[in-house]
Amino acid sequence: MQGVADTLGVDRKALHHYVHGREGLMELLAEDVFLTRIAALEIPPDAPWPDACRTFAEGMRQSLVASGALVEHFRTLSRATLGAVRPAEVVLERLLAGGVDEVTAGRTLLLLTTIATGFAREEVAAAGAGGHPQVAQFRGMLRETGATELSVLRRLDGSGFDAYGDAQFAFDVDAVIAAVEARLAEVETGVAD
C-alpha cells in the first residue's frame, strides 16, 4: 500500500480512506480490467437470443480471463457503469423478444454470469504452472487406486478431455440455452405453470 501511495503521490492514510487494504486494492484492479474489457463487448441488438447469450457469456469469460491472477479478487462490481451494464440489458431485451418471461430472463442472465465467472477462474488456475491443481490431485488419486477401479474416469482422463477449454465452456452455455428453449416449448404447449 505504501508503494501505491508513493506512486500516486498521496499519503498512505489518504489511500486507506478509499481502499481498505491489499485485498481492496486487488479487487479494484480486477474490476478495472474487467470494466475495460466488458465495455468493448458488442452484442448486436437484433441478434437471436441464443446468440446474444453466447456472446455475453464469452465476453464475460474473456473479460475476466484478461485479468489473469486478479480474477481471484473479482467480486460484484462496486461501481456500475453503462459499459458494463449495456451488454446485460441487450441480452435481457433479446430474451424477452424471444418470448422468455422477465423472471426467467433474469435467472438466465445470472446463470450465464455465474458460469462465465466460475469458468474464468478455473481457466486461469488451469493456465498456471503445471496445470490446474485439481487435475494433479485427481490424477494422484487415480494412481493410488487399483488399476481396475474408476475405469470410466480413467478413460475420460486418458482421452485428453479438457474440463477447462473452449468445448467445455460452449457445452455449459449451450446447456443453459437448451433449458430455456425447453421452458419456452413448455409455455407454448401449455405445460408450464
Side-chain angles (χ1 to χ4, degrees):
M1 292 297 286
Q2 185 62 54
V4 172
D6 292 345
T7 300
L8 295 174
V10 298
D11 183 68
R12 183 176 176 168
K13 291 178 186 175
L15 181 61
H16 275 287
H17 177 75
Y18 295 100
V19 180
H20 302 289
R22 182 181 186 281
E23 182 60 28
L25 179 61
M26 300 302 275
E27 287 176 15
L28 285 174
L29 288 171
E31 182 177 302
D32 187 62
V33 172
F34 172 78
L35 287 173
T36 300
R37 294 290 300 252
I38 199 71
L41 179 62
E42 292 286 333
I43 302 173
D46 59 346
W49 70 264
D51 292 347
C53 289
R54 287 184 185 99
T55 301
F56 174 79
E58 181 62 25
M60 285 282 301
R61 171 188 170 203
Q62 292 304 322
S63 295
L64 290 165
V65 168
S67 68
L70 288 173
V71 73
E72 288 303 320
H73 302 280
F74 182 78
R75 305 293 179 255
T76 55
L77 296 175
S78 63
R79 53 189 168 120
T81 66
L82 187 58
V85 176
R86 184 173 284 129
E89 177 74 5
V90 173
V91 171
L92 291 171
E93 288 171 351
R94 300 317 308 145
L95 284 161
L96 293 173
V100 177
D101 66 274
E102 284 190 2
V103 171
T104 301
R107 293 189 192 289
T108 301
L109 182 71
L110 289 174
L111 184 53
L112 291 170
T113 300
T114 300
I115 289 169
T117 303
F119 198 91
R121 286 186 173 132
E122 296 298 327
E123 188 174 354
V124 168
H132 197 288
Q134 289 177 339
V135 172
Q137 291 172 356
F138 171 75
R139 289 183 176 149
M141 181 212 47
L142 286 179
R143 284 190 297 277
E144 293 173 6
T145 61
T148 59
E149 291 182 76
L150 306 173
S151 61
V152 176
L153 286 171
R154 286 179 191 280
R155 282 195 312 272
L156 188 59
D157 183 52
S159 73
F161 179 80
D162 182 8
Y164 307 106
D166 292 339
Q168 184 62 51
F169 184 74
F171 180 90
D172 293 358
V173 173
D174 284 347
V176 173
I177 290 168
V180 173
E181 287 172 337
R183 178 165 256 178
L184 282 171
E186 288 175 353
V187 169
E188 287 176 11
T189 59
V191 174
D193 297 334

